[in-house]
C-alpha cells in the first residue's frame, strides 16, 4: 500500500524523487549487509550467552543483559539486539524462573535509547547525521542527556531486581563456535569508518559486499532489502505531504522554538513512528538537537512509536504461552514506557 502511494506521489510530483536522501539509503544498505552477516554467523548471540554464564543471581543477570543490549544497540542497531536478546531471555526462562517480562520491557526500552547513543545505531540517527552534516563531536554532545536517561533506567531496572540465586548453570545452546576471521574484523572497521565519514561512503558499500562474499555470501540473499524500500517510501510520502500548502503553513506558523520542536516530534512519533517524524520535521527546522531528543524520547510510549517496538511485540507474541500473558505484557510495556516518556520530555523541555 505504501509503495502504491509512493508511486502515485512520484507520478504527481516527479521532483519528489530528488527529496530522497540517497546518502542515508546507501549508509543504511551498507549497515544492513554487515549486520545481517553478523546475525547469520551468530556472533552476538554467542558472545551474549558466554557472558551470561558469569551471572550468579537475577540482579547480575539483568545487569548483563541490559549492558549487552545498550552496547550492542549502539553498534548493530536496536532491531538486531531485539531479535537476539528477546529469544535469549525466553531461553533462560525455560531453564530458570526469572521476572522475564521485566527483562523484556527494559531490554526494548534500552535497545531504543542505547541505539540513539551512536550515529549509526538507528535509522533516524543515520538520517540526522547526514541531513544536518553533524560532526562526531557535535553528535556525541547531543547524546549526553540520553546517556543520563539510559543510566537512570539501567540502575533502576537492576537495583529493583531481587538477588534471587540462579540454581542451575545457564547452559544455553551454542550451535557453533565462531572464530572471527581477521578479514571480517578489519573490513568491519573500514565500513564503520566510511559510515562515520572518514572514508568515502561508496567504498564502505564495496567493503560490505566484499566481507559478505568472503565470509558468507548467502547473507546477501537474506538482507532485508524491504527496509530500504520502506525508507524510500518515507522520503517520498513525507515530501509529498510536506509540499502541501496547508501543512506547510500550519507547521511554519505553529512550530518554531526548540520546545515546540521537542514536543511536536515526540507526539508525531507516537502516531506515525519516530523515523518518518524525523524525516518530515527536519525540513522545517534547523533545531537538530531538539529534533534528536524529541524523536529519541518519542521512541518510548506507544507500540507504534518505534519500528523496534513493533518488532519486539511480534517477538514476544511468538514466544508467549497465551493471549492473557501477551495482554499482561502489553500493559506492563505501555505503563513503563508512558511514565518514562512523560518524565524525559519534562526534563528535556528545560534542556533544549
Amino acid at each position: 500500500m505504501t509503495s502504491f502511494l509512493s508511486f502515485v506521489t512520484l507520478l504527481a510530483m516527479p521532483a519528489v524523487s530528488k527529496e530522497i536522501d540517497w546518502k542515508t539509503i546507501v549508509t543504511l544498505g551498507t549497515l544492513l549487509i554487515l549486520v545481517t552477516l553478523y546475525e547469520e554467523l551468530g556472533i552476538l548471540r554467542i558472545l551474549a550467552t558466554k557472558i551470561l554464564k558469569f551471572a550468579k543471581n537475577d540482579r547480575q543477570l539483568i545487569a548483563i543483559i541490559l549492558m549487552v543490549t545498550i552496547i550492542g544497540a549502539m553498534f548493530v542497531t536496536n532491531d538486531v539486539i531485539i531479535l537476539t536478546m528477546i529469544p535469549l531471555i525466553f531461553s533462560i526462562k525455560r531453564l530458570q524462573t526469572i521476572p522475564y517480562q521485566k527483562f523484556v520491557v527494559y531490554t526494548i526500552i534500552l535497545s531504543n535509547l542505547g541505539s540513539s547513543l551512536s550515529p549509526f545505531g538507528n535509522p533516524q540517527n543515520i538520517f540526522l547525521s547526514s541531513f544536518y552534516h553533524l560532526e562526531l563531536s557535535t553528535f556525541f554532545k547531543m547524546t549526553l542527556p540520553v546517556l543520563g536517561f539510559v543510566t537512570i533506567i539501567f540502575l533502576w531496572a537492576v537495583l529493583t531486581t531481587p538477588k534471587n540465586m540462579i540454581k542451575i548453570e545457564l547452559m544455553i545452546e551454542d550451535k557453533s563456535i565462531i572464530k572471527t576471521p581477521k578479514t571480517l574484523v578489519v573490513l568491519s572497521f573500514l565500513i564503520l569508518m566510511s559510515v562515520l565519514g572518514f572514508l568515502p561512503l561508496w567504498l564502505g558499500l564495496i567493503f560490505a559486499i566484499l566481507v559478505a562474499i568472503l565470509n558468507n555470501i548467502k547473507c546477501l540473499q537474506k538482507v532485508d532489502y524491504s527496509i530500504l524500500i520502506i525508507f524510500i517510501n518515507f522520503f517520498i510520502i513525507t515530501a509529498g505531504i510536506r509540499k502541501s500548502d496547508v501543512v506547510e503553513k500550519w507547521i511554519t506558523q505553529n512550530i518554531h522554538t526548540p520546545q515546540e520542536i521537542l514536543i511536536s516530534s515526540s507526539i508525531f512519533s507516537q502516531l506515525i513512528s519516530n523515523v518518518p517524524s524525523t524525516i518530515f520535521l527536519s525540513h522545517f527546522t534547523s533545531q537538530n538537537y531538539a529534533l534528536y531528543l524529541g524523536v529519541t524520547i518519542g521512541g518510548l510510549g506507544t507500540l507504534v512509536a518505534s519500528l523496534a517496538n513493533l518488532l519486539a511485540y511480534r517477538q514476544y507474541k511468538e514466544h508467549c504461552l497465551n493471549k492473557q500473558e501477551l495482554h499482561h505484557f502489553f500493559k506492563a510495556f505501555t505503563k513503563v514506557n508512558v511514565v518514562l516518556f512523560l518524565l524525559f520530555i519534562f526534563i528535556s523541555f528545560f534542556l533544549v
Side-chain angles (χ1 to χ4, degrees), residues 74-285:
M74 291 176 62
F75 294 99
V76 297
T77 76
N78 48 358
D79 292 348
V80 173
I81 281 295
I82 283 171
L83 288 171
T84 301
M85 299 308 291
I86 292 181
L88 198 59
I89 291 171
F90 275 92
S91 295
I92 297 171
K93 171 183 173 287
R94 288 192 288 269
L95 301 172
Q96 171 78 19
T97 301
I98 57 171
Y100 64 96
Q101 285 193 346
K102 176 181 179 179
F103 281 32
V104 172
V105 168
Y106 283 101
T107 294
I108 298 169
I109 292 170
L110 288 177
S111 69
N112 277 322
L113 293 180
S115 69
S116 297
L117 298 174
S118 162
F120 47 80
N122 57 45
Q124 62 267 26
N125 280 8
I126 294 172
F127 172 76
L128 286 171
S129 298
S130 171
F131 186 83
Y132 290 109
H133 307 288
L134 297 177
E135 298 289 338
L136 272 180
S137 58
T138 302
F139 177 85
F140 285 122
K141 186 178 179 180
M142 287 167 51
T143 66
L144 291 177
V146 180
L147 179 60
F149 299 154
V150 167
T151 303
I152 291 171
I153 296 171
F154 175 80
L155 291 175
W156 173 262
V158 171
L159 296 177
T160 56
T161 301
K163 292 183 178 180
N164 297 327
M165 297 302 295
I166 295 177
K167 299 176 182 178
I168 59 174
E169 185 178 357
L170 293 179
M171 297 296 293
I172 304 167
E173 181 184 2
D174 289 347
K175 294 183 179 179
S176 60
I177 298 175
I178 298 297
K179 292 183 179 179
T180 307
K182 291 181 179 179
T183 53
L184 176 59
V185 176
V186 172
L187 288 174
S188 296
F189 175 76
L190 292 175
I191 289 167
L192 293 182
M193 288 299 98
S194 73
V195 169
L196 293 173
F198 295 109
L199 292 173
L201 189 55
W202 61 266
L203 198 57
L205 180 58
I206 292 175
F207 285 149
I209 296 172
L210 180 61
V211 76
I213 292 173
L214 292 175
N215 290 276
N216 186 356
I217 193 171
K218 291 183 178 179
C219 85
L220 289 174
Q221 299 174 344
K222 297 185 178 181
V223 173
D224 191 355
Y225 297 106
S226 65
I227 293 177
L228 300 180
I229 303 299
I230 290 171
F231 271 82
I232 291 173
N233 288 336
F234 282 159
F235 282 117
I236 294 174
I237 294 173
T238 54
I241 296 172
R242 192 178 71 249
K243 290 183 181 295
S244 165
D245 293 336
V246 176
V247 173
E248 183 178 4
K249 183 179 179 181
W250 186 88
I251 291 180
T252 52
Q253 287 180 349
N254 294 280
I255 302 177
H256 301 286
T257 67
Q259 287 77 13
E260 290 169 344
I261 292 295
L262 173 75
I263 298 299
S264 60
S265 59
S266 62
I267 292 176
F268 282 2
S269 295
Q270 302 306 303
L271 302 175
I272 62 172
S273 182
N274 53 5
V275 175
S277 297
T278 306
I279 297 171
F280 178 68
L281 289 172
S282 62
H283 293 273
F284 293 100
T285 182

